[in-house]
Amino acid sequence: MFEQVIGQQDVQQRLMQLVSEERLPHALMLCGPQGSGKMALAIGFAKVLLSRTANDEAMLRKLEHPDLHFTYPTIKLPSMGSDHKPVSDDFAQQWHEMVMGGYYFTMTDWLEQMGGENQQAIITAGESDALIRKLSLKSSQGGYKVSVFWLPERMNIECANKILKLLEEPPSQTVFIMVCEEPEKLLDTIRSRVQRIDVKRIDTDSICQALKDKRGLSDEQALRIGRMANGSWRQAMELLTADTENELFLDLFQSLMRLAYQRKVKELKQWSEQLASMGRERQKRFLAYFLRLVRENFMYNFHEQQLCYMSQREEDFAHNFARFINEANVLPITELVDRAIRDIGQNANAKIVFFDMALQMIVLLIQK
């Protein structure tokens, strides 16, 4: 049932123990970083709960079991009416295609699948109404009904309040499995009504072994990618396919550092405008990448290879640049980027956010 899960043996055992000891709560929440396998664990556990007959197993292999329900963030397409509140069923075909391609995916993948790369996906009140209707029906197969809820932190407040009522008075034989990356954004009352299970980053040994078993990598290749993946199977896959987005992000990082060092304000303004032209999800991914490279360049100064997780091209740049990231500025730079991530997430003007960040880098790079 957990065949797509990489590592995470302790979580698998804990979930199975809930069943064997008959202590299954009506609502679970798997919390952890992106790429750690939360959705793979959720779907695997849903299969455990729903698999009673050979027919169940056949339907679950295709994720077409009538008692398995998925809830996920959606966008509003131009073809939708002004009064329409998008719901998961509007994108059921796209969701099924993506999930059947593998259980390790990101919001970026989902936005591309829906055709809304530059939008902010949310879970609307219409979704909560639809879910209440679905779960009010009796189980089709006579067992559990399982609701897998991806990224509940993206619920708007109206939806969150309705889901809270559903959790307070859950339908009979219904199990909610929430897959969450930012639990602090959920209502306290929702968090108090679910049993939280923290999913840690995947251990490097498990990623390396999976790279060798599933992708046929050599020991050396698997170790380099496994270390750089930082506990994320998704990141390992991106590194393995030489992700072009990371190449773009490295170019942007190098450009910012060189222009800031040379104090070329006009070119820095053009740099900020280039970033501002990208979608907000991509902007947030760049900032996350930026933070990682700041950390790696700082660690590079200690000349301990086992502490650094960089591609060959990133390491080549760090050879000359790393000395500019030091004890005096590593924390201020990190705080600066964290603020930018927060501001972009709150829909601040991207040109202003990135130009301000670029100008402050001029000052921060000369601190020693």
Side-chain angles (χ1 to χ4, degrees):
M1 297 299 179
F2 294 104
E3 65 278 355
Q4 287 207 34
V5 179
I6 309 299
Q8 307 297 1
Q9 294 298 326
D10 55 338
V11 180
Q12 293 182 47
Q13 291 170 6
R14 183 173 175 184
L15 291 171
M16 296 305 294
Q17 192 173 5
L18 291 174
V19 176
S20 63
E21 296 179 356
E22 297 183 350
R23 295 187 296 107
L24 182 64
H26 74 276
L28 289 166
M29 185 164 70
L30 302 175
C31 299
Q34 189 178 97
S36 57
K38 303 180 298 299
M39 180 57 83
L41 285 162
I43 294 177
F45 192 49
K47 289 180 178 180
V48 169
L49 297 177
L50 294 172
S51 184
R52 304 170 67 198
T53 67
N55 188 43
D56 286 329
E57 293 177 8
M59 291 187 289
L60 288 167
R61 279 194 294 272
K62 298 180 180 179
L63 297 182
E64 294 176 346
H65 196 287
D67 294 323
L68 175 60
H69 306 284
F70 288 102
T71 296
Y72 36 83
T74 57
I75 59 173
K76 190 156 189 173
L77 298 175
S79 58
M80 294 176 177
S82 58
D83 295 332
H84 180 72
K85 296 178 180 179
V87 295
S88 297
D89 286 347
D90 292 332
F91 298 92
Q93 181 179 347
Q94 294 94 323
W95 174 263
H96 189 260
E97 290 174 356
M98 183 181 72
V99 179
M100 288 302 292
Y103 300 164
Y104 290 80
F105 49 82
T106 65
M107 175 53 68
T108 302
D109 299 321
W110 179 224
L111 286 171
E112 290 177 355
Q113 189 78 8
M114 289 189 291
E117 292 89 338
N118 295 325
Q119 294 195 47
Q120 295 270 46
I122 65 168
I123 303 175
T124 68
E127 181 66 46
S128 56
D129 295 336
L131 187 60
I132 290 169
R133 286 194 298 271
K134 291 176 185 177
L135 298 180
S136 65
L137 302 175
K138 288 185 178 181
S139 166
S140 172
Q141 304 299 304
Y144 285 110
K145 292 171 290 185
V146 179
S147 173
V148 177
F149 210 114
W150 186 51
L151 303 184
E153 61 267 36
R154 287 185 175 248
M155 291 186 289
N156 64 22
I157 189 63
E158 186 180 358
C159 177
N161 285 324
K162 290 184 177 182
I163 292 299
L164 173 59
K165 290 183 179 180
L166 193 59
L167 293 174
E168 290 174 335
E169 300 177 8
S172 175
Q173 289 289 93
T174 298
V175 177
F176 295 90
I177 306 176
M178 294 187 170
V179 177
C180 186
E181 291 178 1
E182 299 176 289
E184 68 280 0
K185 292 185 176 180
L186 282 169
L187 295 175
D188 291 340
T189 44
I190 288 180
R191 294 205 303 267
S192 68
R193 283 164 175 77
V194 301
Q195 181 170 325
R196 174 171 170 168
I197 296 178
D198 288 313
V199 181
K200 299 178 181 178
R201 295 183 183 277
I202 308 169
D203 64 281
T204 301
D205 288 344
S206 292
I207 291 181
C208 290
Q209 191 60 51
L211 286 169
K212 290 185 285 186
D213 294 344
K214 296 176 181 290
R215 296 293 187 269
L217 268 63
S218 67
D219 289 346
E220 182 180 352
Q221 289 174 313
L223 180 60
R224 187 176 187 91
I225 290 178
R227 291 173 61 202
M228 288 176 58
N230 192 29
S232 167
W233 179 249
R234 169 66 190 201
Q235 179 69 8
M237 291 298 95
E238 290 180 351
L239 292 166
L240 188 59
T241 56
D243 183 46
T244 55
E245 185 173 76
N246 278 357
E247 294 294 308
L248 169 64
F249 288 169
L250 177 57
D251 290 339
L252 287 167
F253 181 87
Q254 292 175 334
S255 178
L256 172 61
M257 296 307 176
R258 287 168 176 156
L259 293 173
Y261 181 75
Q262 296 167 359
R263 304 185 184 187
K264 293 186 175 181
V265 175
K266 181 179 178 180
E267 287 80 356
L268 285 172
K269 186 173 184 293
Q270 293 171 345
W271 178 90
S272 65
E273 290 172 349
Q274 179 185 357
L275 260 173
S277 67
M278 300 177 181
R280 289 192 180 271
E281 293 297 332
R282 175 173 271 195
Q283 290 166 2
K284 288 189 283 188
R285 293 199 302 278
F286 167 71
L287 291 169
Y289 176 88
F290 191 105
L291 282 176
R292 181 178 76 80
L293 272 202
V294 168
R295 182 263 179 202
E296 298 303 339
N297 277 271
F298 178 67
M299 298 306 295
Y300 188 88
N301 293 308
F302 295 95
H303 304 292
E304 295 287 345
Q305 186 177 6
Q306 67 272 21
L307 297 177
C308 297
Y309 308 107
M310 290 185 280
S311 68
Q312 189 60 58
R313 188 173 166 227
E314 290 169 347
E315 195 170 326
D316 291 342
F317 179 69
H319 181 73
N320 293 318
F321 172 73
R323 68 182 186 274
F324 293 99
I325 306 296
N326 50 61
E327 291 88 346
N329 64 16
V330 65
L331 288 180
I333 290 175
T334 300
E335 291 169 358
L336 174 65
V337 180
D338 280 336
R339 285 198 302 274
I341 292 173
R342 179 202 64 197
D343 292 342
I344 291 298
Q346 295 176 350
N347 291 324
N349 186 304
K351 288 184 181 180
I352 295 175
V353 171
F354 288 116
F355 190 42
D356 177 69
M357 173 178 155
L359 292 177
Q360 293 195 53
M361 285 302 304
I362 295 175
V363 178
L364 291 171
L365 282 183
I366 63 174
Q367 293 186 11
K368 295 182 179 180

